[in-house]
Amino acid sequence: MRRTDDSLPTRPSLLRRVKNWDDQTSWRDFYETYRRIVRGLALKSGLSEAEADDVVQDTFVEVARRMPQFEYDPERGSFKAWLLTLTRWRIVDHLRKRARVPHAAPSSGAGGTGTRTIERLPDPAALNLDALWDREWELNLSRAALDLVGAAGADARLDLAARGRRARRESRGAARRGAGARVDARRR
């Protein structure tokens, strides 16, 4: 497998630590880092909330099962791509299960769509999971950065917003005073 572009490379130290079943702190960190990505992809693939939760559980069970033998080699491929593959298999499994479940024939009444359930299921082959995965990965990266910044980041955002409001007020005031005042305001 060729290496894929990873905007957030997985910490090799975390991957080494989760090889140990007893390291609950590392497993919690690992789960919190990747849970939202896996769940978001499952939801965007057309699964229900409950099915998405099942995909998360099934994916992490498979990761835990394979971790003792997993060897991280960035030259062969990224952990991100490996996790996407495991997640993709779980999503496809759920879509297949859904297709096998017998459903009552659609009613021709006012509430029915007249479309068989199987025809309303997303086609796993048509899903661009790579693009969805990348979007979920970036979204999770942004959330993680905001979580790390925490209260200090909230203070910085409030300060930035206040500066923006002040700059807009000054700009409006300068516009009222005329072109000459605007030039003076820009020099400040």
Side-chain angles (χ1 to χ4, degrees), residues 75-183:
E75 294 305 314
R76 290 185 56 215
S78 67
F79 174 78
K80 175 183 170 185
W82 182 72
L83 185 60
L84 168 59
T85 300
L86 294 179
T87 304
R88 179 189 322 261
W89 291 340
R90 299 306 155 298
I91 290 169
V92 169
D93 288 347
H94 277 271
L95 291 172
R96 284 185 187 139
K97 278 185 214 173
R98 193 194 272 181
R100 284 192 307 258
V101 174
H103 296 282
S107 68
S108 56
T113 63
T115 304
R116 292 184 351 210
T117 302
I118 191 71
E119 292 169 359
R120 292 191 309 262
L121 291 175
D123 177 8
L127 295 173
N128 186 352
L129 292 182
D130 292 331
L132 291 172
W133 181 258
D134 288 340
R135 280 195 291 275
E136 283 302 310
W137 192 270
E138 293 301 323
L139 181 61
N140 193 56
L141 175 61
S142 299
R143 284 184 197 134
L146 287 174
D147 289 348
L148 285 174
V149 172
D155 292 343
R157 287 189 301 274
L158 289 173
D159 183 50
L160 187 59
R163 287 180 188 199
R165 285 190 300 273
R166 190 173 332 124
R168 285 191 298 278
R169 275 195 309 269
E170 289 174 1
S171 176
R172 282 192 300 260
R176 282 186 232 132
R177 289 190 299 272
R182 269 195 302 269
V183 170

Side-chain angles (χ1 to χ4, degrees), residues 8-11 14 17 25-38 60 79 83 133 136-137 139-141 143-144 147:
L8 174 63
T10 302
R11 296 172 302 190
L14 179 59
R17 291 193 319 265
T25 303
S26 294
W27 271 104
R28 189 174 13 265
D29 184 23
F30 181 82
Y31 179 79
E32 289 305 319
T33 300
Y34 296 105
R35 171 188 57 83
R36 289 187 284 201
I37 300 169
V38 171
F60 279 91
F79 174 78
L83 185 60
W133 181 258
E136 283 302 310
W137 192 270
L139 181 61
N140 193 56
L141 175 61
R143 284 184 197 134
D147 289 348

